[in-house]
Amino acid sequence: MEVAALKREQRRSDPYIWGIIIILYIVSVVEVYSAISREITGGDVYSPIMKHILFLFSGFFITYFTSYIHYKWFKGLAYLMIPLSIVLLISILFWGDVINGAKRSITLLGVSIQGSEIAKITIVLAMATVLAKSQIKRGVEMKGVLWVVGLVTVFSALLVTQGLTNTLLFIGISLCMMLIGGVELYKLLGIFLVYVVLALATMQAKDLISEGVGGKPDTQEVVAQGEGAEKSDHPIRISTWKSRLDDFFDSTPEYEKPTTSDNLQEHRAAMAMAHGGIIGVGPGNSREASRLPLAFSDYIYAIIIEDLGFLFGGVGLLLVYLMILARAGLIARRCTKAFPALLVMGMAVMIVLQALFNMAIVVGVFPVSGQQLPLISKGGTSIWMISFAFGVMLSVSRYAVKDSGSEIKTERENNLPDDLQAANPTNLA
């Protein structure tokens, strides 16, 4: 018993994940300071970056304290966050603050809360819980699969006014988690077809809504110069999305297109990356930071490439994010139970997919849409939620991995609720 107690005290969270977090912190502080010139007013040069550092500092404590919470408690948190997130998203639809042409956040007690960031965490916690409880001998119960599809549909519908990237992110997370959770191939194919039908139905509904409001363009929409600068009375911004998609599928080379308010972000981002070249111009020497809208948030990846170059800033940062997924996979291999394996992989998939979406948008692989670079872009709610996600991963690494001592393994497994006793479905443990 004394040996078991000593080993419990010596449990440590994964040091490699902590190393990745520190790397992202350093890149965030340096590059946000490089890209933040648009927010500097008067002689107050350091106020914007100090506010960002404060968010990172608070995020560090969220990660640290979450890492000490036993992962079994995240099951109850999932049940609590589902209704709270739905209420929050509905409140934003009616009373939210307009940012970048859509109602994206709501101010509570003086703090701006972005509902989409909380919804991402809720989706992962809920899917991990549902899929872990629905494990059967060779697959997942159909009711569990339907619950996952239902969650994606509900949250996507509540976020439809904010663009399509959140819906695509939810779909990607759900498909990855169901694949990891052992959902049979024929069910995955059926789910994929359902998602395609839902996407087509959503697009058709948008067209009908557009016709209902007269198909008026977003004449009040302007390029954002900072938080809350962009305003629009159009509820779903049909013309904006259509314009972005038309521009994306236009075969005319970008260098032959004139720079307008519609493609200003893409062109300035391309200029920034071209200016950076292979090795970059050095941190703080960005030429486009003062001219690129949202350089400190949605388009910070372009400034990173301009400062650090394609090799270190572009490929290097991409590899850092992929390391999160690789490390989560190694942690999941050492889990004996389905719930912690799904938790750590779900959080990693969410972070990495969001990063890949942001990078793909900036370099022109995806149409323009709002998606922040996890733990690097300036923002409060996003930093807090990504910090929480890292904390969950560290909690799993602390409490769920196999130990050499059989007494610790027995203690950890017996400490779980009965409905979380399903074995790791990846069969890698």
Side-chain angles (χ1 to χ4, degrees):
M1 294 295 294
E2 293 181 0
V3 174
L6 179 62
K7 288 183 178 180
R8 281 197 296 271
E9 292 176 359
Q10 293 177 342
R11 293 173 181 168
R12 295 181 180 179
S13 53
D14 188 81
Y16 295 96
I17 293 180
W18 276 116
I20 292 171
I21 292 172
I22 292 172
I23 291 173
L24 294 178
Y25 280 162
I26 294 172
V27 174
S28 180
V29 172
V30 172
E31 293 305 322
V32 167
Y33 185 62
S34 176
I36 213 166
S37 57
R38 275 180 172 269
E39 285 205 321
I40 295 175
T41 56
D44 194 0
V45 176
Y46 297 105
S47 177
I49 189 61
M50 291 306 298
K51 181 179 179 182
H52 179 64
I53 291 175
L54 182 61
F55 278 125
L56 291 176
F57 192 69
S58 60
F60 171 82
F61 280 100
I62 291 174
T63 300
Y64 180 79
F65 287 114
T66 304
S67 71
Y68 278 93
I69 300 174
H70 196 288
Y71 66 88
K72 69 178 181 180
W73 298 108
F74 297 129
K75 168 195 170 184
L77 182 61
Y79 292 136
L80 177 64
M81 287 188 67
I82 291 173
L84 289 179
S85 297
I86 291 175
V87 171
L88 175 63
L89 294 177
I90 293 175
S91 300
I92 290 174
L93 279 174
F94 289 97
W95 304 288
D97 304 322
V98 178
I99 300 176
N100 296 342
K103 292 181 178 179
R104 302 177 187 273
S105 65
I106 192 168
T107 302
L108 300 174
L109 301 177
V111 179
S112 180
I113 306 296
Q114 281 195 312
S116 61
E117 302 301 322
I118 296 176
K120 294 169 189 174
I121 293 292
T122 303
I123 281 282
V124 175
L125 290 176
M127 288 182 184
T129 302
V130 169
L131 292 174
K133 292 180 62 176
S134 304
Q135 294 291 311
I136 54 179
K137 187 174 182 180
R138 292 186 178 179
V140 177
E141 291 180 328
M142 193 61 192
K143 66 178 182 180
V145 175
L146 294 177
W147 266 104
V148 169
V149 175
L151 286 168
V152 170
T153 303
V154 170
F155 279 94
S156 297
L158 292 174
L159 289 169
V160 69
T161 61
Q162 299 184 25
L164 295 177
T165 52
N166 286 317
T167 298
L168 295 176
L169 188 60
F170 292 158
I171 290 174
I173 293 170
S174 65
L175 290 174
C176 289
M177 290 190 68
M178 284 188 284
L179 181 63
I180 296 167
V183 174
E184 301 90 319
L185 181 59
Y186 74 91
K187 291 181 181 178
L188 282 174
L189 292 175
I191 294 165
F192 180 77
L193 292 176
V194 170
Y195 284 153
V196 171
V197 172
L198 288 175
L200 293 175
T202 301
M203 295 302 296
Q204 182 64 30
K206 291 174 188 173
D207 291 339
L208 293 175
I209 293 174
S210 180
E211 293 175 3
V213 297
K216 296 183 293 182
D218 301 336
T219 55
Q220 297 185 14
E221 186 172 354
V222 296
V223 176
Q225 304 295 323
E227 292 186 8
E230 188 173 316
K231 303 291 182 181
S232 174
D233 292 333
H234 201 291
I236 305 189
R237 305 190 304 159
I238 301 296
S239 62
T240 300
W241 294 352
K242 185 178 184 299
S243 175
R244 289 174 174 177
L245 289 174
D246 289 344
D247 183 68
F248 178 74
F249 289 109
D250 187 353
S251 60
T252 305
E254 285 295 328
Y255 58 83
E256 293 184 3
K257 298 178 183 178
T259 301
T260 66
S261 59
D262 292 330
N263 60 20
L264 179 63
Q265 288 176 311
E266 302 100 296
H267 282 199
R268 291 299 184 192
M271 292 176 188
M273 291 183 287
H275 185 225
I278 299 297
I279 60 175
V281 297
N285 294 320
S286 170
R287 183 186 66 192
E288 300 297 330
S290 61
R291 298 188 288 182
L292 173 60
L294 301 177
F296 50 80
S297 57
D298 293 357
Y299 277 82
I300 196 169
Y301 188 58
I303 304 302
I304 292 173
I305 295 177
E306 184 180 14
D307 282 354
L308 304 179
F310 170 78
L311 184 61
F312 298 104
V315 177
L317 187 59
L318 173 62
L319 292 177
V320 170
Y321 280 112
L322 293 179
M323 284 172 60
I324 298 172
L325 195 59
R327 195 61 196 171
L330 292 175
I331 294 172
R333 288 183 61 182
R334 299 173 63 193
C335 294
T336 59
K337 300 301 179 183
F339 184 59
L342 288 166
L343 268 181
V344 69
M345 289 303 297
M347 293 299 174
V349 165
M350 180 199 72
I351 295 171
V352 175
L353 278 183
Q354 182 173 330
L356 293 178
F357 273 44
N358 175 276
M359 294 175 179
I361 290 168
V362 171
V363 301
V365 176
F366 282 1
V368 175
S369 186
Q371 203 63 242
Q372 293 184 319
L373 197 58
L375 215 59
I376 291 183
S377 294
K378 183 175 178 292
T381 311
S382 175
I383 290 175
W384 290 337
M385 292 299 101
I386 296 298
S387 297
F388 176 79
F390 275 118
V392 172
M393 295 174 64
L394 291 167
S395 170
V396 172
S397 72
R398 185 189 300 276
Y399 295 112
V401 298
K402 293 189 297 184
D403 289 311
S404 57
S406 59
E407 60 271 78
I408 296 295
K409 178 181 176 181
T410 302
E411 180 269 333
R412 292 183 183 180
E413 293 181 355
N414 291 340
N415 200 28
L416 293 176
D418 291 340
D419 57 357
L420 296 183
Q421 290 288 344
N424 190 340
T426 62
N427 294 321
L428 294 174

